[in-house]
């Protein structure tokens, strides 16, 4: 059985993993779902990417976890790549689930198509606290299109604003790219949070991992809400020896 | 429940939607399947693209339909894009199912790979009435490869010749591209009617829609015949709020 | 019912088809699984590509087979393309299953991404007999990632070293590319033996076939071991009239 640490993406926090975590625990795995610094409701949004990384490093070391299978979703990919640079000795494998694998020296923002870069910059500038809220039409059409209207609405209410600075911080990632940790990429085949093709997740992001294990499943970017059992199965296949 | 108007593609006519329409009606939807001008057997083929568009506009206005979810298959995509320019006030959403979304100013022909352009031009020139027939080997191998031999043959017998002029007419589409109507794209993952890759349906056509909802299903370009229930499910997911 | 000749890929031999062949025989097909020259354990590895081709030609003519549906997996695609040049009169259809379809004049090596070319050249140079062994991590992560650890290990033990010279031989293929034999391409959607994208199997290889029938199934490059029934179904769909 695996020791899994699941790192959420933008607009999410740790408790939102619960449906997936339950399926994984029912199958015998140990599952941790820490919240990344600056994420969730009622917390300050003035964090940078190092704060995000440090919060996950702290969660793993505080619980004294070893042989961790560390999974990052979406923005969480940038975090697990950095965590793998800080505490590789505690990790067994990295899993990127429709996650960013920034090219060396890039920020997450550098990996976004232009229309997202503009939208996020404008939204953050218009906010009180340099954060970005998720517009419902974008959520419903491009992030969670495999949900019915009710689930799309109820999950949207659980989101929180995303701190913008971590999108902008350049990530060196030299040690990550030199790492020989085994790596998996989970690709949900209907994920359009990044537009398929030139700017898509797979194989653009996955192809940067060198030798990696691909697991695909049907579903949107938010299949954690629409089919948590299916995602749990994909995570098991990505995590196993 | 949705009010659906299904616009067929080349070589098809409205009655060929019957298996899909039945599944949708059984689930409570109102379904209309008009035949595009110049399509079907026993009709004159000397129509242009405006005639095609007008015939669908007329079908919708004659039935006084409102809040229409308008779906176009293949060539039908060029028709629904134009209908959305003429009577947007009657429409609720556009669904493109492995359909052309011509770049502004392009004809359908401009979107075809060279081997199709040559084949269709030669076939139309050799015809009595500037129309194009569907060769059986192309139908069987690239359009309906998920059928058994019997279904491939029986469906081929139901096809009619395609008027060629609507392939050639340039479509301005300025108003379509400015429209804020919600849009969905249904992609059958084994569709090879357009060759996958550089000339493929998805993401080449879908990516032109701006924000859109992607729904994928297994099947060929003619999954309406080989798995009408599966297509009906995809249409429901593409059509819902 | 079809007369099927299944041509294995690199590191494989004919007997490894047994699980798939059993499913196909149970469904009434005649199935032959010859071993390509220089492949398998306990045989000399000093063969060239012509020897490989000739060994399959000999198997077909010795059994006096006609109306053969000839399937090639991976490296086997280069062999069936050449067999189709030698004995087209005995063949009914070609099926490429995640197989190489070399561009005219290319060797298999010419179709490989640079990291494979380097790895295979170094491994062959370091061998006693100009052959290449399959490293377990590559097998487990990129070839058979849909297996559990036990099946990944047990199948790896059944592999044999691959003669290197057939990778290097240039293949003219003029007669293959002029052939009007019907062709199918089976694509396993999780196959990462070639990296997805620029260097991937589909549509890079399939797109060279001209008019062809696409059949897709879930699975890795070695779905013959992980889901032989599913592959048998795909072969039936690719083989039928």
């Amino acid at each position: 059985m695996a020791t899994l640490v699941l790192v959420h993406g933008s607009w999410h926090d740790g408790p939102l993993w619960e449906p997936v975590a339950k399926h994984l625990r029912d199958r015998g795995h140990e599952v941790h779902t820490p919240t990344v610094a600056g994420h969730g409701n009622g917390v300050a949004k003035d964090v940078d990417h190092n704060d995000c990384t440090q919060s996950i490093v702290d969660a793993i070391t505080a619980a004294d976890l070893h042989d961790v299978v560390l999974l990052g979703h979406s923005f969480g990919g940038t975090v697990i790549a950095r965590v793998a640079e800080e505490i590789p000795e505690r990790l067994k494998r990295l899993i990127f689930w429709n996650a960013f694998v920034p090219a060396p020296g890039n920020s997450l923002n550098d990996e976004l198509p232009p229309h997202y870069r503009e939208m996020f910059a404008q939204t953050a500038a218009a906010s009180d606290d340099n954060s970005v809220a998720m517009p419902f039409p974008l959520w419903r059409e491009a992030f969670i299109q495999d949900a019915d209207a009710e689930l799309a609405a109820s999950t949207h209410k659980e989101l929180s604003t995303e701190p913008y600075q971590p999108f902008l911080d350049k990530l060196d990632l030299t040690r990550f790219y030199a790492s020989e940790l085994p790596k998996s990429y989970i690709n949900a085949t209907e994920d359009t949070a990044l537009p398929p093709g030139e700017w898509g997740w797979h194989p653009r992001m996955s192809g940067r991992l060198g030798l990696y294990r691909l697991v695909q499943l049907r579903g949107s970017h938010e299949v954690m809400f629409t089919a948590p059992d299916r995602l749990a199965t994909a995570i098991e296949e990505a995590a196993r020896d």
Side-chain angles (χ1 to χ4, degrees), chain A:
Chain A
M1 295 297 101
T3 300
L4 287 155
V5 174
L6 310 181
V7 180
H8 60 80
S10 298
W11 302 286
H12 288 230
D13 58 15
L16 292 180
W17 283 112
E18 191 50 34
V20 174
K22 183 180 184 317
H23 280 286
L24 289 165
R25 288 184 189 119
D26 287 350
R27 301 175 193 191
H29 304 289
E30 180 183 338
V31 185
H32 300 260
T33 61
T35 293
V36 177
H39 288 71
N41 289 308
V43 301
K45 299 288 164 180
D46 60 339
V47 295
D48 64 12
H49 199 282
N50 278 334
D51 297 324
C52 295
T53 299
Q54 192 61 45
S55 66
I56 300 303
V57 167
D58 290 348
I60 291 171
T61 53
D64 197 24
L65 304 180
H66 293 276
D67 289 323
V68 169
V69 176
L70 181 63
L71 179 148
H73 176 219
S74 200
F75 164 75
T78 70
V79 176
I80 70 168
R82 284 284 295 112
V83 170
E85 296 193 305
E86 299 300 323
I87 50 168
E89 70 283 1
R90 289 180 178 269
L91 307 182
K92 187 176 180 189
R93 179 181 286 267
L94 300 175
I95 303 177
F96 296 82
W97 162 38
N98 287 94
F100 290 93
V101 182
N106 268 4
S107 66
L108 182 150
N109 203 52
D110 294 331
E111 302 290 354
L112 293 175
H115 70 281
Y116 273 149
R117 284 202 293 263
E118 290 165 28
M119 182 178 84
F120 295 154
Q122 290 171 7
T123 311
S127 73
D128 287 341
D129 56 359
N130 199 30
S131 75
V132 176
M134 166 59 67
F136 182 73
L138 178 63
W139 179 252
R140 202 283 165 274
E141 299 294 311
F143 277 63
I144 197 165
Q145 76 272 22
D146 53 351
D148 61 21
E150 187 179 12
L151 182 61
S154 67
T155 51
H156 186 255
K157 289 203 185 81
E158 298 188 286
L159 302 178
S160 44
T161 60
E162 177 67 12
Y164 185 50
Q165 183 59 41
F167 280 25
L168 303 180
D169 292 325
K170 301 287 187 180
L171 305 174
D172 177 79
L173 295 182
T174 302
R175 288 172 291 162
F176 166 70
Y177 277 105
S179 163
E180 299 199 351
L181 273 173
K183 299 173 190 78
S184 298
Y185 203 94
I186 299 176
N187 182 52
T189 53
E190 280 71 38
D191 190 329
T192 52
L194 285 183
E198 178 188 0
W199 292 99
W201 298 108
H202 174 70
R204 183 169 68 117
M205 295 295 162
S206 51
R208 295 172 178 170
L209 295 177
L211 180 63
Y212 73 100
R213 182 190 301 179
L214 176 68
V215 177
Q216 294 197 119
L217 75 161
R218 283 186 304 118
S220 71
H221 194 62
E222 302 294 340
V223 67
M224 63 190 284
F225 299 125
T226 55
D229 55 335
R230 202 191 299 150
L231 180 61
T233 299
I235 291 173
E236 282 197 298
E237 293 187 12
R240 66 187 170 187
D241 286 340

